[in-house]
Amino acid sequence: GKGRCNVTNDCDLDTLMQNIPRNPRFLYSAFSRCTPQDVMSFFESEGVPLKTERGRRVFPQSDRAADIVAALQSAMQTAGVSYRLHTRVGKLLLEGHVCAGVQLSDGQKLTAESVLLTTGGMSYPRTGSRGDGYALAEQAGHTIVPPQPSLIPLVTAEADAAQMQGLSLKNITLTVRQGKKTVFSEMGELLFTHFGVSGPLVLSASAHMRHFDTASYRLEIDLKPGLNEEKLEDVMKQIGMSEGFDVGLEMSG
């Protein structure tokens, strides 16, 4: 959220499930116990006023992600939780079918009644999300599905995007096609970068682009989705343009 921390989305459970591209049933139980409204209530009770923006996206009113971090730290302190930063877990301590704790990379052992493995994926090494969780889960007997990138910026095959670096487009429609098949189409915001495109629309679209290794994708940008062809032609005539245009970018992951 551009450093603002997009905390949640103020929607109902059904809408939340509809926007999970793969296997939403797996998350149904968790989200039934902790809804977006529960998350919002938690942070507001911790003294962080929230606001809801376009697309029902929820941010702290201060637009400061640091306020969310501070609220979590305060809640942990109140609950008597201790935490260690920059501490890497080497392996799980398994006793039969029970996880009794963890062993740190320096050899120190920490025992616990319950162990929650919440390392994330392997997409953000600076935050600790470097793939350690897969090895730990595999140690406990789980089968690991080969990870695929998701919620990521996209690299374009053309150099055009780099020439538009920093340009932000708002209220446009982004459509992603794989051959003749439409895999994604929504309205929102897009940002050109030195390597391609990014922004909320692109991150959402990438979750539906499942075959970067075998398929090529085309992005189509409708700069004026609120206008039909006739109205758009009238507008262009008014500003001195006699012919319409469209924008297409071949994408690679």
Side-chain angles (χ1 to χ4, degrees), residues 74-88:
S74 174
M76 286 194 295
Q77 184 176 9
T78 300
V81 177
S82 61
Y83 56 91
R84 303 186 182 200
L85 302 179
H86 311 293
T87 303
R88 193 167 186 172

Side-chain angles (χ1 to χ4, degrees), residues 185-214:
S185 185
E186 283 188 13
M187 180 185 291
E189 182 177 344
L190 178 146
L191 174 69
F192 288 99
T193 70
H194 65 283
F195 56 80
V197 288
S198 186
L201 265 183
V202 173
L203 299 184
S204 296
S206 70
H208 299 266
M209 302 165 71
R210 296 294 183 185
H211 307 288
F212 286 122
D213 53 342
T214 59

